[in-house]
Amino acid sequence: MNNAEHVGALIQNDAVTLGLLLLLLGGIFYTSNSTNPFFSKFYKVVPMLLLCYFLPSLLTTFNIVDGENSNLYFVASRYLLPASLVLLTLSINLKEVFKLGSKALIMFFTGTLGVIIGGPLAILIASAISPNLVGGAGPEAVWRGLTTIAGSWIGGGANQAAMYEIFKPSDHLYSIMITVDVIVAEVWMAFLLIGVGKSHRIDKFFKADASSVETLQKSMHDFSQRIARIPSTIDLMVILAIGLGVTGLAHLVADFIAPYIEVHAVYLKKFSLTSKFFWLIILATTAGIGLSFTKLRNYEGAGASKVGTIFIYVLVATIGMKMDITKIFDNIGLFAVGAIWMAIHVILMILVAKAIKAPFFFLAVGSKANIGGAASAPVVAAAFHPSLAPVGVLLAVLGYALGTYGAWLCGLIMQVVAQ
């Protein structure tokens, strides 16, 4: 999407745009809790979270706001996301998380493998149908652009940017790939969210024992209930101080570590260790886990995770705002490649989940920890139950750590099959 396309956007003031996004979120949350028969039936079919992505995208699609040039996503991803990770992990019980066993990790690594092999297979399938679709030479070679999707789908934005630097697709191709990445990933997100409401039936199909997930959910919920209190102004101010204070400190440390590694250990670049955003996420999550061993953990009773969840939903709305769904029709062939790639990932996830009898929770969170990272995995986990959000956070951090290396490997294979 180029800048000229949104010169005529009705609203270009970010303050007005933020107000619109919060009005949409407020309306969605209010109606989702309504006793009105229409809304009760509507939200049984359409997940609330899906609307939080979709409705903001309509603002961009109909040229009401300039989603491409707005700074709201940058602010939400750099300030609110790390703060939410701190507040969501503040109440985590690591002992209970470890009791989830190996199936959570198996599903996560299956998701990673699905992306690594899915890209090359999608190129082979697409080239058999339409050879010109995945062709191109030099910076316009389609496989170069696809490596940026691999970075995003194994890790996140930092890994995607790393692939852009390593394989150097043209800016035009890169912008198309960002659109393919976002829209294909959000379509899969929609299916996962619909599946959350049918998770018990899916678990029966997988013959899965979800007791470990339910035990963790009950343990963290019981802890929240045990320390619950009506939050005072002081409580809320301390919660904001914890979340945003740690975020500020994480920025300070990341601004030192990333450039230092880039100068003194450049070979670590393929692991995203030269990315400030990578360090920001790692430091915020690590700090949240560290604080969960202190008395600050009791601020969960005053609503720490609720504040963190609000931050996440604002981020979700800004992600949705970046989508222009009409772009599907501009590059329908490349969207087909992305859809084939995603289908391979999904089929592999389902086959492995069925084979190891993994609960749908592990499939959904394991997939989104790859495809979506820290911005999506905790949201999907929280859709099962708010107390499960930290599981998504931890797996997403693992995705960031592996993302650049896995995407780099995927890129090399795609280069070979595209010849």
Side-chain angles (χ1 to χ4, degrees):
M1 195 186 307
N2 59 49
N3 295 348
E5 290 178 46
H6 281 282
V7 168
L10 183 63
I11 295 168
Q12 299 190 29
N13 185 325
D14 275 347
V16 181
T17 303
L18 178 61
L20 277 176
L21 292 180
L22 286 170
L23 282 172
L24 282 177
L25 290 175
I28 293 166
F29 272 72
Y30 181 80
T31 54
S32 69
N33 198 41
S34 171
T35 55
N36 182 293
F38 169 78
F39 288 120
S40 297
K41 291 177 183 176
F42 178 78
Y43 283 104
K44 283 181 181 175
V45 178
V46 180
M48 180 187 75
L49 180 59
L50 183 58
L51 284 184
C52 294
Y53 279 103
F54 178 67
L55 291 185
S57 77
L58 296 181
L59 297 177
T60 296
T61 301
F62 291 106
N63 216 24
I64 297 170
V65 303
D66 186 356
E68 182 70 12
N69 295 310
S70 170
N71 289 316
L72 290 179
Y73 171 74
F74 179 84
V75 171
S77 63
R78 267 43 175 199
Y79 305 156
L80 300 186
L81 174 58
S84 73
L85 298 182
V86 174
L87 297 175
L88 288 172
T89 52
L90 190 63
S91 64
I92 197 168
N93 185 332
L94 279 183
K95 287 183 181 177
E96 292 295 334
V97 171
F98 291 143
K99 287 180 185 176
L100 289 174
S102 60
K103 289 182 181 179
L105 284 176
I106 290 172
M107 292 310 300
F108 169 80
F109 285 116
T110 299
T112 304
L113 180 64
V115 175
I116 292 173
I117 66 172
L121 286 175
I123 288 178
L124 288 173
I125 293 168
S127 62
I129 299 169
S130 175
N132 294 331
L133 188 58
V134 287
E140 292 295 334
V142 170
W143 70 265
R144 293 183 189 276
L146 292 173
T147 64
T148 66
I149 296 181
S152 176
W153 284 1
I154 298 174
N159 311 91
Q160 184 175 41
M163 291 304 100
Y164 173 72
E165 293 297 330
I166 292 169
F167 291 102
K168 300 191 181 304
S170 70
D171 288 344
H172 168 70
L173 186 60
Y174 185 40
S175 66
I176 294 172
M177 293 302 171
I178 289 173
T179 312
V180 173
D181 161 23
V182 171
I183 293 180
V184 173
E186 295 315 320
V187 169
W188 172 228
M189 177 83 150
F191 280 104
L192 286 175
L193 293 174
I194 292 167
V196 171
K198 308 178 190 306
S199 60
H200 291 297
R201 286 164 60 184
I202 296 172
D203 286 344
K204 280 186 181 177
F205 170 74
F206 288 152
K207 297 179 181 176
D209 177 12
S211 60
S212 61
V213 179
E214 291 163 5
T215 300
L216 174 62
Q217 175 183 316
K218 185 176 185 308
S219 167
M220 298 185 74
H221 178 68
D222 288 350
F223 171 72
S224 297
Q225 293 295 103
R226 194 166 63 248
I227 61 173
R229 63 182 187 270
I230 297 172
S232 65
T233 304
I234 295 171
D235 287 330
L236 293 174
M237 190 57 76
V238 171
I239 288 170
L240 288 174
I242 294 169
L244 292 169
V246 170
T247 296
L249 186 61
H251 272 280
L252 180 67
V253 178
D255 285 347
F256 171 76
I257 293 179
Y260 181 86
I261 291 175
E262 192 157 18
V263 172
H264 295 93
V266 70
Y267 57 89
L268 294 176
K269 188 171 185 175
K270 63 186 176 186
F271 296 106
S272 295
L273 297 183
T274 56
S275 164
K276 290 181 182 179
F277 186 72
F278 170 83
W279 282 108
L280 180 60
I281 298 303
I282 293 292
L283 291 166
T285 304
T286 304
I289 293 170
L291 292 174
S292 73
F293 292 98
T294 71
K295 288 183 179 179
L296 291 179
R297 185 177 188 229
N298 291 327
Y299 275 98
E300 172 59 22
S305 65
K306 291 183 177 68
V307 175
T309 302
I310 288 170
F311 288 169
I312 282 280
Y313 273 94
V314 174
L315 173 69
V316 162
T318 64
I319 292 172
M321 185 186 66
K322 289 167 68 69
M323 287 194 297
D324 181 347
I325 52 182
T326 62
K327 292 298 166 186
I328 296 176
F329 305 105
D330 291 351
N331 304 285
I332 196 74
L334 289 175
F335 275 97
V337 176
I340 294 168
W341 190 350
M342 182 63 74
I344 293 166
H345 165 85
V346 172
I347 291 168
L348 189 60
M349 293 292 284
I350 292 171
L351 289 175
V352 173
K354 178 74 171 168
I356 67 172
K357 300 179 180 178
F360 179 64
F361 174 79
F362 291 159
L363 184 154
V365 177
S367 175
K368 290 310 290 183
N370 283 285
I371 299 168
S376 298
V379 178
V380 171
F384 286 86
H385 194 276
S387 62
L388 294 174
V391 179
V393 174
L394 293 177
L395 286 178
V397 166
L398 185 57
Y400 278 124
L402 297 175
T404 302
Y405 189 72
W408 176 70
L409 176 61
C410 177
L412 294 180
I413 301 171
M414 287 194 290
Q415 182 180 11
V416 171
V417 300
Q419 301 305 321

